[in-house]
Amino acid sequence: MTRRFVTGDENFSPGHRACIGCGEALAMRQVVKALGDNIILVNATGCSEIIASALPTTSWKIPWIHTLFENTASIASGIESALKVVERKGKRKKAKVIAFAGDGGTSDIGLQALSGALERGHDLLYVCFDNEAYMNTGIQRSSSTPYGAWTTTAPSGKMSIGQKTWKKNMPAIAIAHDIPYMATACPSYPFDLMDKVKKAVSVDGPSYLHIYVVCPTGWRCKTNLTIRLGKLAVETGIFPLYEVEEGKYKMSVDPPELTPIKDYFKIQGRFKHLSDEVIEEIQKKVTGDYQRLKEKMEGL
Ligand SMILES: Cc1ncc(C[n+]2csc(CCOP(=O)(O)OP(=O)(O)O)c2C)c(N)n1
């Protein structure tokens, strides 16, 4: 389905300031490619904003508005409500409202506003770009940072293994709002990602996409490993690709056998301090969570 709408058009221009190997820049490009022109982008502070819209320049060729972390979903809701009125008065066809935020902006700072927008049923798409920390401010931990990862505010050392808490399950939180569409995606699987964007904007009501974006700067990995690491996150079951449409769960990629997580860990500096025992503990959690997720799938 996707190949038909992938054109040479780019609404996210090159020449932005993302780090080499940035998975988030790749994801943003794929998302807006699938969205077309009739959209309004609401952008929280975070890497997505600072790389693409430093005054007086912009990489966006579509209507775009800056927001704070805590009010991204509120501003998106307000714009969507105003557009409804404009459409009702017959002034123009309604544009689709899209919100972009990082994992800090979504699972920590903007969670209350997001929950409100999903609960009120606004017709908008909220996209979380999850690079697993507060990256643009210097790699501070977020509630989406995985257990055992080094960050500047969860440093590893004699007294600490790094991040001490398990990653917050933001997709499950979005699903708990009974929204019509939720999906996880990763730019290592571009057609799957763009298909999901198309589906997300075709529903009437709120939709949520949680996109896994590799960050070589913060993950302390080689910049040419972005695509490989995204695939490994899926193949190990660390970041399963799935969608939930009107309450029905469907796996997008289901490897016949999960790759051991150590293959994913060993090429990232942020996990290099972990002992075999801790890796084993994380492996058990990943395998268990994956199994529980698969049990929710239709027809299994
Ligand atoms: C209310 C509020 N708290 C903290 C900050 C400082 N701040 C600016 S960017 C940022 C990190 C954002 O992390 P995330 O949303 O994950 O985006 P990323 O930089 O990783 O893309 C923080 C904490 C702020 N601007 N506003």
Side-chain angles (χ1 to χ4, degrees):
M1 166 181 155
T2 309
R3 286 162 188 79
R4 269 185 281 128
F5 65 75
V6 178
T7 66
D9 300 343
E10 301 286 354
N11 279 330
F12 179 51
S13 315
H16 53 73
R17 307 190 303 175
C19 304
I20 300 170
C22 175
E24 184 157 338
L26 199 55
M28 289 200 288
R29 181 180 170 203
Q30 292 175 10
V31 170
V32 291
K33 232 178 191 322
L35 284 171
D37 293 327
N38 195 26
I39 61 168
I40 296 174
L41 196 56
V42 179
N43 201 170
T45 315
C47 291
S48 59
E49 183 173 270
I50 59 127
I51 65 175
S53 40
L55 269 175
T57 63
T58 180
S59 296
W60 298 111
K61 294 188 196 161
I62 38 183
W64 178 96
I65 182 169
H66 154 80
T67 67
L68 306 176
F69 288 112
E70 51 280 59
N71 64 358
T72 308
S74 310
I75 291 194
S77 305
I79 295 173
E80 191 269 338
S81 302
L83 287 173
K84 259 191 204 138
V85 177
V86 172
E87 193 186 35
R88 201 183 320 127
K89 290 185 175 172
K91 297 227 164 115
R92 57 167 282 179
K93 190 171 166 280
K94 197 175 152 211
K96 194 83 190 191
V97 180
I98 318 292
F100 276 5
D103 50 288
T106 302
S107 48
D108 298 336
I109 317 170
L111 185 57
Q112 178 176 328
L114 173 59
S115 177
L118 299 183
E119 175 265 319
R120 290 188 302 271
H122 290 279
D123 184 22
L124 54 82
L125 163 62
Y126 187 103
V127 184
C128 171
F129 295 104
D130 185 3
N131 56 20
E132 302 198 312
Y134 295 6
M135 289 304 180
N136 87 92
T137 40
I139 323 173
Q140 293 94 9
R141 59 82 74 186
S142 77
S143 60
S144 201
T145 302
Y147 182 80
W150 163 92
T151 67
T152 53
T153 50
S156 52
K158 278 197 193 117
M159 309 290 285
S160 164
I161 59 151
Q163 174 86 339
K164 292 187 187 69
T165 51
W166 296 101
K167 183 180 175 78
K168 189 184 279 187
N169 190 344
M170 200 49 225
I173 293 171
I175 295 163
H177 290 77
D178 274 340
I179 54 176
Y181 188 75
M182 191 306 295
T184 64
C186 174
S188 301
Y189 299 81
F191 293 121
D192 176 71
L193 185 151
M194 288 189 270
D195 278 340
K196 285 170 173 167
V197 172
K198 277 274 168 192
K199 243 189 216 179
V201 288
S202 72
V203 303
D204 191 17
S207 50
Y208 176 85
L209 284 183
H210 197 96
I211 305 187
Y212 201 66
V213 291
V214 174
C215 172
T217 307
W219 296 12
R220 299 295 197 241
C221 65
K222 286 193 177 149
T223 53
N224 62 356
L225 287 180
T226 302
I227 302 299
R228 181 78 203 113
L229 265 174
K231 287 203 167 155
L232 269 173
V234 174
E235 289 162 4
T236 52
I238 280 178
F239 188 79
L241 291 188
Y242 68 104
E243 57 187 350
V244 184
E245 220 175 331
E246 299 293 354
K248 293 197 173 76
Y249 285 69
K250 194 173 153 228
M251 214 74 180
S252 317
V253 176
D254 187 17
E257 207 176 306
L258 294 180
T259 304
I261 57 164
K262 66 175 176 358
D263 292 1
Y264 170 81
F265 281 2
K266 71 183 177 203
I267 45 178
Q268 300 177 62
R270 64 176 175 156
F271 293 117
K272 75 171 192 296
H273 55 281
L274 294 182
S275 65
D276 289 345
E277 292 74 47
V278 175
I279 293 177
E280 195 42 46
E281 184 193 353
I282 302 172
Q283 179 69 72
K284 276 201 191 109
K285 168 98 169 114
V286 169
T287 313
D289 285 352
Y290 193 82
Q291 203 44 50
R292 275 187 288 283
L293 179 67
K294 274 193 74 167
E295 282 160 14
K296 295 185 171 152
M297 299 296 147
E298 284 285 296
L300 285 176

